[in-house]
């Protein structure tokens, strides 16, 4: 099979980790006789420097003409402490999500037995935790009306959702739950927010269509607590954009390192695969960042964009071996030898 991949490494550690993901992709292609064709595109701060636009038209065209987008990270500290900046690298990520219609962000949380000790939670709480966070990605406060009034002294962001937007993400989540342990937790703040009450109403209306799925409703503050109190409770979590942003960062530490968590964003056009860790500028160029999240994102790419499950599994197996054998970057080394980003990437590719 020919795989047309848009390669958007972005900023910070993005290029380093995407290079390792590409090594894994190439190794899988060699093993299973596929052919990967990459087209490079600028996104984030590097795109602002070059085009004055965090998601230039040229990059968008590349994504639209590809079968999958392999995305690194965006962000640069020079923008973080400047609230007056007109263009920001993060706009690139928001624009790509919106323009590709990527309304569902899937962030799996899996635990590796040999890393349970790295989790800030007790081993018995973490061991065996395995759930999927489904975050709505193109609505809510991120995209609702926002602005300033009173000479800039009052600011607002609007959390707005239509029934259509809620239905499509819930449908995907119910269907996802059907393929897993059939337990869906809808996270909202329906005791306070009208948008949450619409979410809950729509979810309740859809429940009878999925009689096998056990649905529970949880307020987001409680969900934040339950995630660390008993992560094993969860199977599939679905929630709106902002809640999902916050809860998935929280959930990412359950497995021991944020450097392990991959994601897939799917929707109307080309799907996008991205580690959830961000640009981590302090580590950029040092060859120390954990490439596993990016490599596991490549595994999700095979599975979700191409339906190539065995290929995805081959990557997962090699990643699991690298962790079991202690071929890990410094975030996971635990006093043992810390391997560099590229050494871990080479080891995993060789193992595939
Ligand atoms: C994420 C990130 C982004 C978000 C930022 C970089 C805009 O934190 O993917 O979770 O808030 O969605
Ligand atoms: Mn985030």
């Amino acid at each position: 099979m020919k795989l047309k991949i848009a390669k958007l490494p972005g900023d910070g550690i993005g290029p380093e980790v995407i290079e390792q993901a590409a090594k894994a992709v190439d190794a899988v292609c060699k093993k299973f006789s596929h052919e990967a064709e990459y087209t490079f595109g600028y996104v984030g701060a590097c795109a602002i420097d070059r085009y004055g636009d965090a998601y230039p038209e040229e990059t968008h065209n590349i994504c639209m003409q590809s079968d999958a987008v392999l995305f690194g990270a965006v962000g640069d500290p020079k923008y973080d402490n400047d609230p007056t900046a007109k263009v920001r690298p993060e706009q690139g990520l928001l624009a790509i999500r919106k323009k590709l219609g990527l309304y569902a962000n899937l962030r799996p949380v899996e635990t590796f037995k040999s890393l349970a000790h790295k989790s800030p939670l007790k081993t018995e709480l973490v061991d065996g935790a395995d759930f999927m966070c489904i975050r709505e990605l193109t609505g809510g406060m991120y995209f609702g009306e926002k602005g300033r009034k009173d000479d800039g002294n009052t600011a607002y962001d609007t959390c707005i959702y239509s029934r259509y937007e809620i239905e499509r993400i819930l449908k995907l989540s119910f269907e996802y739950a059907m393929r897993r342990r059939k337990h869906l937790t809808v996270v909202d703040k329906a005791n306070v927010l009208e948008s949450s009450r619409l979410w809950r109403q729509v979810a309740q209306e859809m429940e009878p269509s999925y009689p096998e799925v056990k649905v529970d409703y949880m307020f987001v503050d409680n969900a934040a607590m339950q995630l660390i109190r008993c992560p094993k409770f969860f199977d599939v979590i679905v929630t709106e954009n902002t809640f999902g942003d916050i809860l998935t960062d929280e959930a990412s530490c359950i497995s021991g390192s944020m450097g392990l968590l991959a994601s897939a964003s799917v929707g109307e056009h080309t799907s996008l695969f991205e580690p959830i860790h961000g640009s981590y500028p302090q580590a950029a160029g040092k060859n120390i960042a954990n490439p596993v999240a990016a490599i596991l994102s490549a595994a999700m790419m095979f599975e979700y964009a191409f339906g190539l499950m065995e290929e995805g599994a081959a990557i997962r197996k090699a990643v699991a071996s690298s962790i079991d054998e202690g071929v890990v970057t410094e975030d996971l080394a635990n006093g043992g030898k810390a391997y560099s980003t590229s050494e871990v990437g080479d080891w995993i590719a060789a193992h595939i």
Side-chain angles (χ1 to χ4, degrees), residues 71-72 93 97 105 107 261-265 272-276 293 297:
F71 190 99
L93 189 51
R97 288 171 179 170
N105 182 223
R107 296 185 165 181
L261 285 216
S263 82
S265 300
L272 178 148
F273 302 87
E274 171 198 10
I276 90 153
S297 299

Side-chain angles (χ1 to χ4, degrees), residues 45 48-49 75-83 85 87-90:
I48 297 176
D49 292 344
D76 190 297
K78 73 181 175 209
Y79 298 94
D80 288 349
N81 295 318
D82 178 10
V87 280
R88 328 187 137 267
E90 289 77 7

Side-chain angles (χ1 to χ4, degrees), residues 71 73-75 89-94 97 105 107 135-137 142-143 241-242 244-246 248-249 258 263 265 274-279:
F71 190 99
V74 292
E90 289 77 7
Q91 287 165 344
L93 189 51
L94 301 183
R97 288 171 179 170
N105 182 223
R107 296 185 165 181
R135 167 187 174 192
E136 201 291 327
L137 204 58
Y142 275 65
F143 295 96
N241 203 346
T242 307
D245 178 46
I246 299 167
T248 52
D249 259 36
M258 205 183 195
S263 82
S265 300
E274 171 198 10
I276 90 153
H277 49 58
S279 61

